Amino acid sequence: MDHLAAACGATNLPLERSLRQTSNRPAPQPKRRRTPNERLLQTMDAKFLIPEKRPKSSMDGDGERVRVTVRLRPPTKAEQRDDEGPFIFLDTDRNTVVLRRTLENAVVYMNISAGMCMGFSVEVAFAIPFYLNQPLSMHVQSGRGSFEAFTEFQFDGVLPSGCQQVDVYNTAARPVVLDVLQGYNGTIMAYGQTGAGKTYTLSDKLACGGMSVEGIIPRSAAEIFARAEQDNDNEYHVSMSYIQIYMEQIQDLLRPESCNMQIREGETGVYVSGIQEVEVKSAEDVMKLLLLGDRNRAFSFTKLNAHSSRSHAIVILTVERKAKNFSEPASEASDRPHSGSSAGFLEGERVLVGKLFLVDLAGSERLKKSGSEGIRASEAMSVNLSLTCLGKCIGARADPNATHVPFRDSKLTRLLQESLGGNAKTSLIINIAPCNDYLRESLSSLSFGSRAMKVATRAIVNVEEEFRVLTKNLQDTLEMQDERLQSLEASILSKEEQLVQARRSLEERTKQVEMLRKEQNSFNEKFMEQLRLKDDHWSHRLEIVRNAAVDSQRKRIRYLQEELEKLKEVDGQQGTTIAVLSNDLAKVLCNPDLHSDYAARVIQRSYRRRYLLKLQRVTT
Ligand code: ADP
Ligand code: MG
């Protein structure tokens, strides 16, 4: 039966086949001594290998849940020397893993099957709480001495140590990547103890002996870009972020100066504030960034792994898909679930946004085994604490009666909140090592995976409005507003200057007006004074003139009266003269000798002259 151990452990042939071989095999040769494992396997009935409490599968059609795949690492040279025989059995047909444990010097009175416990030894006590809650069967021999216990787990997939990276990708990652291309969030997470092969599974990128050993991250990137290239109807935009959680601090591995970044919660879930998102155009771009980030990641030598990751690393690939010529019937759009805001998005351009989280967890380690001291020990303790918190969150999510999930107890669980039973399709890879020393850790990892299978998820297609268009519009608007603001500021400045100048000139004018007013007042006063003086002067002069005028008038009147008197007197004399002259004229006229024109004219002329002279004298 030596070949049974080889078949089950080293080459990982299905256990069932091994059992069948065992049962069909003729009776063992008497010279060959059977191992306790073989003896026990022979005594087991078929029912033993069928789990009593099988977790619901998404294949059952009853909602979706976290999918779990187990990967067994090939043994190292040192592990190959382990002559205790195989203790991990993988059945790839039934997707089961069986652990064989030896209970040394145990006093065991127990038969656990379907959760029944009659008694237990000190050594198995630690495992009982797990066993009773897990989808497993356990069988031990009752009695005293060394005993072997077999524990069975069933998962969505089990990958033996001989499997290729491409098999791991196809089983555990590809369905999630395809969902991400459809607009779902996806998480692929590797869990297991230090040195179990998590980093190898996720991000190995070296070509080994001509064989491609690329891990899940390079393969996912290649698949995304290959699909995007083939798709003629849609255009894709992919960006990448790479962060690590080291000693409970988030650091951007693509911009290492950004450390202790904060987790915030927005409409679309939790996110790391200020995270660097680099646009990637090909799988090669992803690899370059992965190498760049890895250079900044915390690794160190431990006894368990020469290149041990001391931090949880998370690669985030954001895939945005947009129809080249978008025209979707409204009814179809409204029928489909989405996480974008319903208001207004039907009118705008829309994109399907799928986020792929590729999580390489740091491994748990026992300080005694790893020999870590100082800062290495602190790192390990921080990692162990966050993994414990992860376990608690998974436990709470798996328990339908749990009322509180302690996501906020660690940065890791807070960031992976949506991946642990929220809006994400989650695939968990449990990495285990084929080594007796790590059996306890493997048991713990398998128990974790088994519980994770009970966590239901509720992924939805994320539909967002074309944020680049919105951003561009917003930027244009902002630029316009900026320009307007600048011109307004300039005009305000010039107005202010004008105002200052106007104020200054107003002050000057006011001063001038004040001065003028004063001048005017003094002038007025002077003028009034002058006026008063002039008034007095002129009234005096007027009085004098008036008096003089009155005097002269009086004199004139008197003179005129006198002249009148004289005139009257002359007039009386004139009358006498005229009478005399009339007589003279009558005499002349009666005298024919004097009767000539000449004589008459001479007389008239002389009289008239005399008369006028007299008149002139009278009037002047
Ligand atoms: P972890 O990240 O879990 O601490 P690693 O991925 O660093 O462990 O693996 C530890 C060692 O084991 C590495 O040298 C790695 O190359 C090797 N290794 C892990 N898994 C495999 C595998 N499936 N095939 C070959 N080598 C492996
Ligand atoms: Mg690692």
Side-chain angles (χ1 to χ4, degrees), residues 387-407:
L387 290 176
T388 307
C389 185
L390 181 64
K392 281 183 188 166
C393 290
I394 288 284
R397 275 283 193 213
D399 180 2
N401 300 320
T403 50
H404 172 66
V405 187
F407 287 125

Side-chain angles (χ1 to χ4, degrees), residues 202-306:
L202 274 175
S203 55
D204 208 89
K205 42 210 166 283
L206 301 169
C208 176
M211 202 170 64
S212 172
V213 290
E214 287 173 324
I216 286 174
I217 298 176
R219 283 175 200 275
S220 304
E223 174 109 48
I224 287 169
F225 286 105
R227 297 244 162 202
E229 212 166 284
Q230 285 164 8
D231 190 348
N232 295 324
D233 300 331
N234 298 297
E235 57 186 58
Y236 293 79
H237 179 264
V238 187
S239 61
M240 175 176 167
S241 305
Y242 193 9
I243 55 166
Q244 73 171 355
I245 304 174
Y246 175 70
M247 304 273 275
E248 277 306 278
Q249 290 202 345
I250 300 176
Q251 185 186 18
D252 196 328
L253 291 173
L254 301 181
R255 199 169 49 182
E257 61 275 14
S258 302
C259 45
N260 201 9
M261 300 164 85
Q262 298 305 310
I263 299 173
R264 307 227 184 282
E265 194 152 0
E267 269 180 26
T268 51
V270 288
Y271 65 95
V272 179
S273 165
I275 192 170
Q276 174 96 332
E277 283 189 75
V278 184
E279 187 177 351
V280 278
K281 300 259 183 225
S282 64
E284 287 73 39
D285 287 354
V286 173
M287 292 315 294
K288 278 182 202 157
L289 292 178
L290 199 61
L291 282 171
L292 172 75
D294 281 348
R295 277 203 288 274
N296 298 318
R297 200 181 161 188
F299 289 101
S300 71
F301 174 87
T302 67
K303 277 187 198 167
L304 302 179
N305 186 355

Side-chain angles (χ1 to χ4, degrees), residues 76 174 187 364 484 502:
T76 60
R174 200 156 181 262
T187 303
S364 59
R484 253 191 89 199

Side-chain angles (χ1 to χ4, degrees), residues 71-76 160-165 168 190-204 208 213 297 299 302 304-309 360-364 431-432:
R71 183 185 197 183
L72 179 68
R73 165 170 73 70
T76 60
S161 59
C163 74
Q164 302 296 308
Q165 293 277 62
V168 183
Y191 182 97
Q193 72 148 117
T194 299
K198 300 181 293 298
T199 306
Y200 178 88
T201 299
L202 274 175
S203 55
D204 208 89
C208 176
V213 290
R297 200 181 161 188
F299 289 101
T302 67
L304 302 179
N305 186 355
H307 196 62
S308 170
S309 330
D360 180 10
L361 295 169
S364 59
N431 288 94
I432 51 174

Side-chain angles (χ1 to χ4, degrees), residues 4-40:
L4 173 67
C8 295
T11 60
N12 299 297
L13 281 177
L15 177 61
E16 200 177 19
R17 212 183 317 150
S18 306
L19 289 171
R20 222 179 293 124
Q21 284 169 0
T22 309
S23 53
N24 295 338
R25 198 177 295 269
Q29 300 297 318
K31 55 187 171 183
R32 192 176 162 279
R33 199 167 154 262
R34 285 178 300 168
T35 64
N37 176 39
E38 288 167 350
R39 283 201 303 274
L40 189 62

Side-chain angles (χ1 to χ4, degrees), residues 87-197:
F87 40 84
I88 298 179
F89 305 94
L90 269 63
D91 183 344
T92 51
D93 287 345
R94 293 178 53 245
N95 290 329
T96 56
V97 180
V98 176
L99 284 194
R100 173 173 70 86
R101 299 183 62 237
T102 307
L103 310 177
E104 297 288 351
N105 300 320
V107 182
V108 184
Y109 306 99
M110 64 186 287
N111 186 348
I112 299 176
S113 183
M116 278 178 61
C117 173
M118 291 156 70
F120 53 88
S121 73
V122 174
E123 195 180 344
V124 294
F126 78 93
I128 294 266
F130 289 125
Y131 293 164
L132 292 179
N133 287 319
Q134 298 313 311
L136 57 86
S137 292
M138 180 179 172
H139 186 90
V140 294
Q141 281 178 315
S142 302
R144 186 180 289 271
S146 284
F147 298 101
E148 287 184 327
F150 288 80
T151 314
E152 185 189 60
F153 297 87
Q154 188 170 38
F155 297 101
D156 295 302
V158 294
L159 298 161
S161 59
C163 74
Q164 302 296 308
Q165 293 277 62
V166 64
D167 301 328
V168 183
Y169 175 75
N170 286 337
T171 310
R174 200 156 181 262
V176 178
V177 174
L178 296 183
D179 281 339
V180 168
L181 284 162
Q182 299 303 317
Y184 289 97
N185 290 339
T187 303
I188 301 165
M189 183 159 48
Y191 182 97
Q193 72 148 117
T194 299

Side-chain angles (χ1 to χ4, degrees), residues 369-549:
K369 265 191 191 175
S370 65
S372 302
E373 287 173 356
I375 182 78
R376 296 287 90 85
S378 308
E379 289 169 354
M381 275 156 66
S382 167
V383 167
N384 288 348
L385 267 175
S386 58
L387 290 176
T388 307
C389 185
L390 181 64
K392 281 183 188 166
C393 290
I394 288 284
R397 275 283 193 213
D399 180 2
N401 300 320
T403 50
H404 172 66
V405 187
F407 287 125
R408 286 176 182 266
D409 285 4
S410 79
K411 292 261 164 72
L412 178 71
T413 47
R414 176 106 170 87
L415 198 58
L416 296 181
Q417 194 167 320
E418 290 299 326
S419 309
L420 307 174
N423 176 21
K425 305 233 174 187
T426 303
S427 171
L428 179 68
I429 300 163
I430 302 289
N431 288 94
I432 51 174
C435 168
N436 200 13
D437 278 353
Y438 300 156
L439 204 56
R440 194 168 146 185
E441 284 82 0
S442 299
L443 182 63
S444 158
S445 298
L446 292 169
S447 298
F448 175 85
S450 194
R451 258 175 295 153
M453 284 178 80
K454 290 182 185 168
V455 176
T457 56
R458 43 184 170 80
I460 52 171
V461 174
N462 302 304
V463 184
E464 278 184 14
E465 212 164 333
E466 171 58 291
F467 76 88
R468 272 188 306 283
V469 173
L470 287 179
T471 312
K472 199 174 171 309
N473 290 345
L474 206 63
Q475 266 175 352
D476 289 350
T477 317
L478 276 176
E479 276 167 21
M480 269 169 56
Q481 299 283 15
D482 260 4
E483 277 171 22
R484 253 191 89 199
L485 205 68
Q486 278 173 4
S487 73
L488 276 174
E489 272 174 1
S491 85
I492 285 173
L493 275 178
S494 77
K495 291 270 150 109
E496 268 177 0
E497 273 174 24
Q498 284 176 10
L499 198 69
V500 170
Q501 279 180 357
R503 250 183 221 146
R504 264 190 224 135
S505 79
L506 190 70
E507 279 169 15
E508 280 172 18
R509 292 276 154 88
T510 316
K511 277 179 195 166
Q512 284 177 1
V513 168
E514 200 62 32
M515 274 166 58
L516 281 172
R517 213 170 264 159
K518 277 178 191 166
E519 274 177 25
Q520 196 185 7
N521 286 346
S522 74
F523 174 79
N524 279 354
E525 279 171 15
K526 278 179 191 166
F527 178 74
M528 292 306 285
E529 186 61 35
Q530 290 283 332
L531 208 61
R532 248 189 330 273
L533 289 172
K534 291 269 178 205
D535 240 14
D536 292 350
H537 171 75
W538 283 112
S539 45
H540 177 68
R541 286 291 299 272
L542 205 63
E543 193 61 36
I544 293 168
V545 169
R546 198 162 55 86
N547 290 342

